[in-house]
Amino acid sequence: PRVTHLSLTGAQITDQAFEHIAQLKGLETLSLTNAAVTGAGFAKLEEMPRLSQMHLRNCARFAAESLAHLSQLGALQTLSLQE
């Protein structure tokens, strides 16, 4: 089966976890809460052809660099940022 939606919570979600997430080429929706991911992690998602929705909540390390990488996602239609 192909994973299309993934929801992760916790500070253990770091840039290194995104190496594995980026391999889920069929992923359409990614939701992160309280993750410690930086721009380097988000850069690994640039090659995800189907990722159309991202929901980020309390991701304190999200910055302008992260947004620049997400702008490279051609399928991204929804980006939700919550503090």
Side-chain angles (χ1 to χ4, degrees):
R2 180 176 66 128
V3 176
T4 58
H5 297 77
L6 182 63
S7 178
L8 301 169
T9 300
Q12 296 85 1
I13 307 303
T14 63
D15 294 342
Q16 289 77 18
F18 273 40
E19 292 177 17
H20 302 286
I21 293 170
Q23 294 176 17
L24 301 172
K25 298 299 183 190
L27 194 65
E28 297 172 6
T29 303
L30 177 61
S31 299
L32 299 173
T33 302
N34 299 323
V37 181
T38 68
F42 286 105
K44 296 172 185 166
L45 302 183
E46 289 182 10
E47 300 299 320
M48 299 191 73
R50 302 180 133 232
L51 190 59
S52 62
Q53 295 185 43
M54 286 196 72
H55 307 281
L56 307 175
R57 183 173 187 169
N58 295 326
C59 296
R61 299 183 74 187
F62 186 87
E65 176 189 5
S66 306
L67 191 56
H69 292 297
L70 294 182
S71 71
Q72 301 301 310
L73 293 169
L76 191 64
Q77 296 176 1
T78 302
L79 176 60
S80 172
L81 304 172
Q82 296 180 345
E83 204 171 340

